[in-house]
Amino acid sequence: MGFDPANILAQAWIFGSEADEAIAVARTRLDDGDGLVQIAQGLRKRWPAEAATAALEQALLQRAAREKFRLADRFRFHRKGLEQATSEAVARYKASLIPAGANVLDACCGIGGDLLALAARHRVRGVDADPFTVRCAAHNLLAAGFPETEVVQGRVPDCDSSGSDWIHIDPDRRNSGNRTSGIEQSGPPWAVLRKWIGARAALVKLAPAASFDDAGIPDVHRQWISWRRECREQLAIVNARDFQPGRRSAVSIGSDGSIAIVEGVPSNAPALGRLLARGDMLIEPHAAVYAAGLVGTLAEQLHARQLSQASPYLVGPAEQATGLAQTFEVLEVGSLDQRLFRQALAARNAGHIEWKQRGVPVADFAKWCRTTAPGSESVTAILYRESAGLRFAICRRRWTEIA
């Protein structure tokens, strides 16, 4: 679309009551399956071309935002702000880490993903450097029922943080134009940010791949958060009494709001010491556990062993359900040979195949994923590497984990 959020005229119009009607018309037609050209032409019969373009852009963003926000159809967005916004489920969890009723400064608040959750539990003030983003956040707070929460324009570390018990900050990971996971390439960089935080407790949102290993930073607790089985973000938790510096935790948020947590330090799990066999329970840790390096800690909790050093799948007792892993019952195993593999699929009357792999070259995995089977049963085909080479396991998924 051609809407430029820096355009002053479009900004003034997009937050007005007339825009509500235009956006609703565009959104309804999108939901009905109409094409973009048709919708744009229809909007331009009632509104100026620039307003029609802005309304259609907002309708598209609102539809995309429904996965993250229940009230997406009432909110205002811009593309970068929506991409970087924390989803409601993750934001609620993060807000719960701060003692209820605290004075919180949400710096680099964006369009308000975390700000909305913080406003529901705390006395919070939002700050962002971009004026259009500030207007989006203020509009979204009002639409969500938080008219008294203040959002102001300002830059870190220039903004006033006095009176704040806690700081939440989401540094700009596109400070140089391209997305980065480097803690010193964000805006502001970690060295500046850490000095500004000082002795206050803080939650710092980082990319899941952000690394402190080369920075010599021992005074943070690092936490990886998974939602819908994807690792969404990493938190650096600073000066918080309940979070031990130098340790790590992995969090899985279920579709029902349930929380599962594992905490420890990076460690290796004991090896299985044999080949995977029919009847074993294969455990796949969630992405946050992998990212945090806590496979060994999870294995200890589950009384499980690691399949091999080349494959971080775990093998453990069937009754050990956890919200931090998916469990699969092994039905057939074998060397990754086409004839053996097809025989195993036929033996299980396989039809619909869910594919998974760890340690298998991408090109090889892509080739095997083209395998089809004529049966009617749903199975999971897991390709993995053991000391004996590349192997397969035909499995039945056990729905014991938090979704």
Side-chain angles (χ1 to χ4, degrees), residues 9 44 57 106 134-135 169 183 243 255 263 294 330 362:
L9 293 176
R44 287 170 184 164
E57 175 76 0
D106 187 9
V134 168
R135 293 196 68 177
I169 184 166
I183 62 173
F243 295 89
S255 57
E263 180 180 333
L294 296 179
V330 179
V362 173

Side-chain angles (χ1 to χ4, degrees), residues 288-332:
V289 179
Y290 284 125
L294 296 179
V295 173
T297 303
L298 182 63
E300 183 178 357
Q301 289 188 5
L302 299 180
H303 308 291
R305 291 180 173 270
Q306 191 165 321
L307 182 56
S308 73
Q309 291 301 313
S311 179
Y313 283 108
L314 303 176
V315 180
E319 66 273 11
Q320 292 290 344
T322 172
L324 290 158
Q326 302 178 75
T327 307
F328 303 87
E329 180 185 357
V330 179
L331 306 175
E332 304 284 347

Side-chain angles (χ1 to χ4, degrees), residues 4-28:
D4 178 6
N7 186 294
I8 301 300
L9 293 176
Q11 280 190 25
W13 184 82
I14 205 68
F15 294 104
S17 58
E18 188 178 9
D20 290 337
E21 182 183 1
I23 294 168
V25 170
R27 191 176 60 243
T28 298

Side-chain angles (χ1 to χ4, degrees), residues 179-257:
R179 187 185 294 271
T180 178
S181 59
I183 62 173
E184 293 299 348
Q185 285 73 53
S186 62
W190 177 264
V192 173
L193 182 60
R194 186 66 186 88
K195 183 178 180 181
W196 176 71
I197 290 171
R200 286 182 291 269
L203 303 177
V204 184
K205 178 180 175 180
L206 302 170
S211 174
F212 286 77
D213 297 340
D214 298 329
I217 300 172
D219 64 341
V220 299
H221 180 109
R222 299 170 66 188
Q223 184 173 99
W224 283 260
I225 303 174
S226 176
W227 176 57
R228 295 189 174 179
R229 300 197 190 119
E230 292 184 16
C231 189
R232 302 289 174 157
E233 66 180 71
Q234 178 186 169
L235 277 184
I237 306 175
V238 183
N239 302 328
R241 182 173 53 189
D242 295 333
F243 295 89
Q244 185 176 341
R247 290 176 68 82
R248 301 180 177 191
S249 50
V251 178
S252 175
I253 302 174
S255 57
D256 60 355

Side-chain angles (χ1 to χ4, degrees), residues 70-191:
R70 290 176 297 106
L71 301 178
D73 290 0
R74 303 182 193 176
F75 288 175
R76 297 293 185 268
F77 303 99
H78 56 79
R79 193 163 300 280
K80 177 182 174 182
L82 177 56
E83 289 174 354
Q84 294 189 340
T86 304
S87 66
E88 284 183 351
V90 175
R92 280 195 301 269
Y93 165 73
K94 290 163 64 180
S96 74
L97 300 179
I98 300 174
N103 288 307
V104 183
L105 174 65
D106 187 9
C108 306
C109 67
I111 55 90
D114 286 291
L115 188 61
L116 291 163
L118 290 167
R121 293 178 56 93
H122 311 292
R123 296 182 294 275
V124 62
R125 179 167 59 98
V127 178
D128 199 276
D130 178 65
F132 183 70
T133 300
V134 168
R135 293 196 68 177
C136 286
H139 176 98
N140 298 344
L141 283 164
L142 185 63
F146 302 109
E148 297 180 359
T149 299
E150 182 185 26
V151 190
V152 299
Q153 185 180 351
R155 290 186 177 275
V156 175
D158 299 329
C159 62
D160 181 16
S161 61
S162 61
S164 301
D165 305 315
W166 278 76
I167 292 171
H168 174 274
I169 184 166
D170 180 5
D172 187 358
R173 295 189 296 279
R174 291 184 175 178
N175 192 41
S176 60
N178 297 317
R179 187 185 294 271
T180 178
S181 59
I183 62 173
E184 293 299 348
Q185 285 73 53
S186 62
W190 177 264

Side-chain angles (χ1 to χ4, degrees), residues 342 344-353 372-379 394:
R342 288 189 177 280
L345 291 172
R348 292 296 166 176
N349 191 30
H352 178 264
I353 305 174
T372 59
S376 58
E377 296 297 316
S378 295
V379 300
I394 307 300

